[in-house]
């Protein structure tokens, strides 16, 4: 089932205020996981609640499976919603929680019971049916919430920061588990997160939001390698920002020339976003044409090393290199290094400092 | 009560090392607290029962068995029996409205809910006299149709309902605010309608708060004097509630009778506190039991078997 959102607008408070969701359109593909990614306050959770019907849009439409559901209450939309706080019914056992949606639909008791057992098995909590939510750990509660949402055989599954309240280890485990679960159920899933790693790892399609608007939508790969603007480039993956000016339709970064944005005239100040792994450092030769910098600090993270280099311009950059490469160079903090930009993305500076 | 004081003393001892109150200060505080409690709470309570039983059990029962007293008991029960359910319904509706929806004038509504608390009960009674009395706004209309509200049972019920209105609503608004809307929203996405959500999610969620509100509301409904006094007209055997009966008996120098009836109301107060304590105890006990179970992760089967036993 596809989920389509067309020109959705939602304002909180007075009509003149900024919109939490401003003219958002996108499509979540069937049987895929789509992430709504963005910093806090970007409107991603509001967008998800609009799709579920928990908020009423000021304008625009929500289509599920080609049908306009904008006028339907959440009760009749048949979407599975998993809340960040899990929102389990505290006074019910785990089994009763999962059975709730089926009881509301008046399914036969035997069928409900069988399905609950099946779902408990699916979320790997077969022994926990008689427990109360307060007796479960965070990760277990999250899985119960998922089972409860899946119990109604929803057309789409909506997850609002599903791993936000969990510690790192549980989060990583659950993430992998969710991917497996998705492969088994094949249900169209929309997931809200502020964690780019989560988005890149989990989903086939990412909708990156900024201040209530879609900054860019596409595959994680697209967004990472071909960011549409400065926000996307800096939000995803982290990047060094280097200043330059356009000359002959190119921006020069040390020895590397990068095509300037089309229409940028010569002399226009530009910002280059350079991924930490797109910079190389080496020992300078006698008359090295490359830019020279000084190593300020080395941080070793497993097999990788973050090299902090200060440039003559006063800019400070981070270079990501493998441990093996760095050991071969044999440099220490304080040593001079030649810095070579391998690839960069250049944008016309939208503001001046 | 000794239990409470015992814990307080214990916690004072624990703090000793940090705060360093001297033994003298501590004793002084304890004596002050006990003295205050004794003079203002314990002594009056003891007096009520002592005076009621001053001439033994026989006169006590005789005083209670008077027709007028029995009528007063009946009327009090009737009044509470009508106004408490009304306030439960209104209270749930008001709390639902205030906590689930945003609308213009919400803060005004919350303030108005508290109005009966900030107005003297006598004024509350007068409001109804001004509305429904012989010379009130609706007086002529009512007397044409021969409907009696003031100096009759309907007036007493209305005044009592008015005075006790905030008790359930306030309690529920606080509890429902604290618990948020997540579970209701979850139920909504699972397909539940409004009534289903109210009965299956919200009410079970707020049941202890509701019970507490009902207990307080009931106590106040049975004990209300000022507002009821204004609208009742003190017709013996017809419009006298228990508190009014106490006053009448006392004014007639029938002290045993007055205190016997007063002891009924005092017992009601004690019973109310007891029920409240049991409710609180049952909540914390259940929580403790769950915590204990959670720590016993190793035996899931035993845990679920035990759980069946404590399910509400």
């Amino acid at each position: 089932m596809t989920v389509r959102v067309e020109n959705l607008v939602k304002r909180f408070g007075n009509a003149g205020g900024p919109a939490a969701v401003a003219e958002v359109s996108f499509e979540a593909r069937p049987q895929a996981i789509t992430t709504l990614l963005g910093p806090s306050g970007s409107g991603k959770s509001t967008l998800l609640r609009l799709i579920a019907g928990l908020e009423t849009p000021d304008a625009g439409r929500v289509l599920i499976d080609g049908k306009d559901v904008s006028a339907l209450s959440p009760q009749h939309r048949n979407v599975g919603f998993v809340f960040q706080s899990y929102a389990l019914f505290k006074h019910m056992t785990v089994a009763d929680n999962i059975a709730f949606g089926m009881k509301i639909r008046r399914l036969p008791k035997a069928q409900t019971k069988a399905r609950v057992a099946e779902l408990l098995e699916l979320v790997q909590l077969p022994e926990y049916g008689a427990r109360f939510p307060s007796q479960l750990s965070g990760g277990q509660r999250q899985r119960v919430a998922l089972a409860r949402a899946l119990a109604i055989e929803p057309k789409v599954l909506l997850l609002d920061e599903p791993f936000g309240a969990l510690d790192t280890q549980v989060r990583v485990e659950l993430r992998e588990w969710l991917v497996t679960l998705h492969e088994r159920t094949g249900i169209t899933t929309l997931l809200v997160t502020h964690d780019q790693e989560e988005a890149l790892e989990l989903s086939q399609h990412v909708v990156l939001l900024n201040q209530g608007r879609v900054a860019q939508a596409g595959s994680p790969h697209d967004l990472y390698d071909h960011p549409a603007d400065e926000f996307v480039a800096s939000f995803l993956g982290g990047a060094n920002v280097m200043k330059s000016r356009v000359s002959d339709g190119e921006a020069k970064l040390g020895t590397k020339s990068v095509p300037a944005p089309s229409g940028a005239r010569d002399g226009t100040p530009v910002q280059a976003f350079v991924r930490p792994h797109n910079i190389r450092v080496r020992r300078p030769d006698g008359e090295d044409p490359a830019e020279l910098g000084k190593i300020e600090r080395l941080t070793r993270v497993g097999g990788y090393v973050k090299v902090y280099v200060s440039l003559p311009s006063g800019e400070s950059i981070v270079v990501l290199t493998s441990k093996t490469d760095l050991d071969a160079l044999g440099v220490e903090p304080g040593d001079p290094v030649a810095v070579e930009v391998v690839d960069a993305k250049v944008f016309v500076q939208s503001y001046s400092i | 009560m000794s239990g409470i004081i015992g814990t307080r003393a214990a916690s004072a001892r624990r703090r000793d090392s940090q705060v360093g109150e001297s033994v003298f200060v501590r004793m002084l505080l304890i004596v002050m607290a006990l003295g205050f409690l004794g003079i203002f709470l314990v002594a009056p309570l003891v007096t009520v029962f002592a005076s009621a039983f001053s001439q033994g059990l026989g006169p006590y029962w005789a005083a209670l068995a008077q027709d007028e007293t029995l009528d007063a008991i009946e009327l009090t029960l009737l009044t509470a029996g009508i106004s408490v359910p009304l306030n439960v319904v209104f209270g749930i509706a008001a709390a639902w409205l205030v906590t689930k929806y945003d609308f213009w004038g919400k803060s005004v509504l919350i303030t108005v809910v508290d109005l009966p608390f900030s107005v003297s009960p006598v004024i509350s009674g007068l409001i109804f006299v001004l509305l429904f009395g012989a010379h009130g706004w609706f007086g002529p209309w009512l007397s044409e149709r021969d409907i009696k509200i003031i100096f009759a049972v309907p007036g007493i019920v209305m005044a009592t309902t008015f005075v006790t209105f905030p008790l359930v609503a306030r309690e529920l608004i606080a509890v429902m605010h604290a618990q948020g809307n997540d579970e209701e929203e979850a139920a909504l996405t699972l397909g539940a309608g409004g009534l289903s959500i109210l009965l299956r999610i919200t009410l079970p969620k707020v049941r202890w708060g509701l019970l507490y509100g009902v207990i307080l509301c009931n106590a106040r409904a049975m004990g209300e004097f000022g507002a009821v006094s204004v609208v009742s007209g003190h017709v013996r055997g017809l419009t006298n509630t228990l508190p009014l009966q106490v006053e009448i008996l006392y004014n007639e120098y029938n002290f045993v009778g007055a205190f016997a009836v007063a002891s009924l109301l005092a017992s009601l107060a004690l019973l109310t506190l007891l029920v409240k304590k049991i409710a609180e105890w049952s909540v914390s006990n259940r929580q403790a039991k769950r915590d204990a179970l959670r720590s016993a992760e190793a035996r899931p089967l035993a845990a679920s078997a035990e759980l069946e036993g404590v399910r509400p």
Side-chain angles (χ1 to χ4, degrees), chain B residues 83-147:
Chain B
S83 64
V84 172
L86 276 181
N87 277 334
V88 168
V89 173
F90 290 147
I92 291 172
W96 183 272
L97 189 66
V98 164
T99 53
K100 310 282 166 195
Y101 301 101
D102 260 324
F103 52 90
W104 189 87
K106 184 162 143 177
S107 56
V108 177
L109 180 69
I110 297 175
T111 315
V112 170
V113 166
D114 274 349
L115 187 70
F117 273 180
S118 45
V119 170
S120 155
V122 176
I123 310 290
S124 309
L126 273 177
I127 293 169
F128 287 97
V129 174
L130 288 176
L131 280 177
F132 302 114
H135 303 290
W137 286 4
F138 302 109
W141 188 88
L142 289 167
S143 62
E144 269 170 35
R145 281 152 190 80
D146 210 18
I147 302 170

Side-chain angles (χ1 to χ4, degrees), chain A:
Chain A
M1 317 259 172
T2 46
V3 176
R4 258 171 77 91
V5 163
E6 291 177 356
N7 304 315
L8 220 49
V9 178
K10 176 68 184 175
R11 262 173 233 282
F12 292 110
N14 51 353
V21 172
E23 295 273 322
V24 168
S25 303
F26 71 88
E27 188 176 298
R29 306 211 179 116
Q31 272 104 54
I33 300 180
T34 301
T35 16
L36 302 176
L37 178 66
S40 60
S42 59
K44 53 194 190 304
S45 283
T46 308
L47 189 52
L48 200 71
R49 291 171 61 83
L50 283 165
I51 295 169
L54 293 169
E55 305 281 352
T56 343
D58 295 325
R61 305 199 295 165
V62 176
L63 295 105
I64 296 177
D65 200 21
K67 219 180 86 200
D68 187 352
V69 296
S70 308
L72 282 183
S73 98
Q75 193 190 345
H76 300 115
R77 288 197 189 188
N78 206 33
V79 295
F81 200 104
V82 175
F83 294 79
Q84 184 175 7
S85 61
Y86 320 129
L88 295 178
F89 307 135
K90 293 181 200 71
H91 60 283
M92 292 184 197
T93 61
V94 167
D96 285 342
N97 261 282
I98 297 174
F100 185 83
M102 294 183 274
K103 280 186 187 158
I104 292 289
R105 283 166 177 70
R106 294 180 202 284
L107 295 186
K109 274 211 175 102
Q111 191 188 335
T112 304
K113 215 176 154 198
R115 178 108 176 101
V116 168
E118 190 185 308
L119 283 161
L120 281 171
E121 198 72 47
L122 183 72
V123 298
Q124 297 165 357
L125 295 167
E127 308 271 302
Y128 289 73
R131 295 214 186 178
F132 283 91
S134 60
Q135 295 169 290
L136 304 180
S137 70
Q140 290 169 337
R141 285 181 212 183
Q142 183 59 271
R143 281 183 278 160
V144 173
L146 254 166
R148 184 178 68 179
L150 288 171
I152 59 169
E153 297 183 348
K155 290 181 192 154
V156 268
L157 189 59
L158 306 175
L159 311 170
D160 189 3
E161 300 259 8
F163 313 124
L166 302 169
D167 52 52
T168 320
Q169 199 192 336
V170 181
R171 201 183 311 172
V172 171
E173 276 172 26
L174 266 186
R175 217 188 273 166
E176 284 164 15
W177 174 79
L178 183 71
V179 172
T180 331
L181 182 83
H182 180 258
E183 278 165 9
R184 280 177 65 181
T185 58
I187 182 167
T188 309
T189 303
L190 267 159
L191 182 144
V192 159
T193 180
H194 64 270
D195 182 346
Q196 47 162 310
E197 197 188 316
E198 206 165 283
L200 298 179
E201 196 175 307
L202 274 175
S203 58
Q204 292 88 350
H205 192 71
V206 177
V207 178
L208 181 57
L209 293 160
N210 185 30
Q211 296 179 345
R213 290 170 198 282
V214 176
Q216 192 176 356
S219 70
H221 179 77
D222 268 353
L223 266 65
Y224 192 81
D225 289 339
H226 310 288
D229 60 21
E230 296 149 280
F231 169 77
V232 181
S234 59
F235 187 81
L236 273 184
N240 296 296
V241 183
M242 295 166 96
K243 290 198 189 94
S244 182
R245 274 175 198 281
V246 178
S247 71
D248 298 333
E250 286 184 324
K252 257 180 113 54
L253 299 162
T255 48
K256 173 83 177 173
S257 290
V258 190
S262 56
R265 274 177 295 167
D266 281 8
T268 314
V270 288
Q271 279 187 315
F273 287 80
V274 193
R275 302 281 182 208
H277 60 85
N278 278 336
I279 306 179
R280 239 171 250 149
V281 286
R282 54 183 169 75
R283 277 186 177 281
D285 300 338
E287 277 176 26
D288 204 305
E291 200 165 0
L292 291 180
K294 198 175 97 179
I295 297 184
E296 292 291 336
R297 197 150 55 87
L298 298 171
T299 312
R300 290 167 195 277
V301 192
Y304 289 88
V305 189
K306 279 183 182 172
V307 187
Y308 294 83
V309 180
S310 63
L311 298 177
S313 62
E315 285 168 320
S316 179
I317 57 168
V318 186
V319 179
L320 194 66
T321 177
S322 76
K323 191 174 172 303
T324 350
D325 286 356
L326 191 86
D327 288 346
L329 274 181
V331 286
E332 292 296 327
D335 287 355
V337 279
V339 177
E340 260 181 88
V341 173
V342 179
D343 194 12
K345 188 84 186 167
V346 177
F347 299 100
V348 174
Q349 216 169 318
S350 57
Y351 54 91
S352 50
I353 302 162

